[in-house]
């Protein structure tokens, strides 16, 4: 039996958002234990032309919601990108998770062949739902999740591969 679009997407997104929450928890504990402002972490970036940690978390959330918006008929909540604290970022993740929990396997039935058009400033791309999931959603989701991890590591937060893979308590 082939895997469904639901099986390939929603569990992975839910798991990744859970990992993101744990990373933020560790970041907050590190800041508290080391007298570092959490603002320094939330506003940190790897390079001047990259998004801050807050922006990376927002893109993880938006990518998750975007999958549902483009591949189902469900109403997708909009969250303004206004988070300025770790707690606010955690709340955004929780709202995203709560939304994803409303998505059922039936909602994504036949979405593999649905046409998805992505409009970028200099490029317009048309994909099937399956291509959208494989070539955009999952790579984009993990890019931004990994960048959160990288920012936190760069700032000294003691996290490792097991944290990213969610193999730790």
């Amino acid at each position: 039996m082939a895997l469904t679009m639901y099986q390939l997407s929603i569990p992975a997104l839910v798991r990744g958002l859970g990992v993101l929450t744990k990373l933020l928890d560790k970041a907050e504990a590190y800041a508290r234990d080391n007298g570092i402002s959490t603002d320094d972490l939330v506003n940190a970036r790897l390079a001047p032309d990259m998004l801050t940690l807050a922006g990376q978390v927002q893109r993880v959330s938006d990518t998750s919601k975007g999958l549902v918006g483009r591949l189902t008929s469900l109403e997708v909540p909009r969250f303004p990108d206004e988070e300025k604290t770790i707690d606010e970022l955690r709340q955004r993740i929780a709202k995203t998770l709560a939304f994803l929990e409303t998505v059922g396997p039936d909602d994504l039935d036949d979405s593999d062949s649905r046409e998805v058009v992505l409009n970028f400033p200099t490029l317009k791309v048309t994909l099937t739902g399956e291509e959208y999931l494989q070539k955009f959603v999952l790579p984009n989701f993990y890019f931004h999740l990994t960048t959160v991890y990288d920012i936190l590591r760069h700032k000294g937060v003691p996290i490792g591969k097991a944290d990213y893979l969610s193999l730790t308590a």
Side-chain angles (χ1 to χ4, degrees):
M1 181 177 193
L3 290 171
T4 66
M5 289 289 284
Y6 178 89
Q7 291 170 315
L8 291 169
S9 62
I10 301 301
L13 299 175
V14 166
R15 185 172 186 277
L17 288 160
V19 167
L20 190 55
T21 299
K22 289 179 183 178
L23 293 175
L24 292 179
D25 291 346
K26 288 192 173 212
E28 186 173 54
Y30 174 78
R32 180 186 59 245
D33 295 347
N34 291 281
I36 298 168
S37 169
T38 55
D39 291 350
D40 290 343
L41 298 176
V42 170
N43 295 312
R45 61 181 84 220
L46 292 177
D49 64 341
M50 292 182 75
L51 293 170
T52 63
L53 182 131
Q56 302 296 338
V57 172
Q58 292 159 354
R59 296 302 77 72
V60 169
S61 168
D62 290 345
T63 300
S64 303
K65 295 183 303 153
L67 168 101
V68 177
R70 289 185 175 99
L71 296 183
T72 75
S73 59
L74 297 174
E75 182 73 26
V76 177
R78 296 186 184 276
F79 306 149
D81 295 337
E82 300 173 341
E83 294 84 11
K84 293 180 179 24
T85 67
I86 288 179
D87 190 52
E88 289 172 351
L89 291 170
R90 249 195 239 101
Q91 289 172 34
R92 183 182 180 121
I93 295 165
K95 291 188 296 186
T96 305
L97 282 167
F99 171 65
L100 292 179
E101 290 171 2
T102 70
V103 180
D106 293 348
D107 294 317
L108 286 161
D109 278 354
D110 300 321
S111 64
D112 58 324
S113 59
R114 183 180 282 215
E115 183 178 276
V116 176
V117 178
L118 300 175
N119 287 304
F120 299 105
T122 60
L123 178 66
K124 180 178 178 179
V125 180
T126 302
L127 306 166
T128 66
E130 182 179 350
E131 291 170 329
Y132 170 63
L133 173 63
Q134 292 178 346
K135 294 180 179 181
F136 181 80
V137 172
L138 293 176
N140 194 53
F141 179 85
Y142 287 114
F143 171 84
H144 292 289
L145 177 58
T146 300
T147 304
V148 168
Y149 171 90
D150 292 342
I151 290 170
L152 294 176
R153 279 295 304 256
H154 181 71
K155 296 301 277 183
V157 178
I159 52 177
K161 187 174 183 179
D163 295 296
Y164 181 83
L165 295 175
S166 193
L167 300 174
T168 60

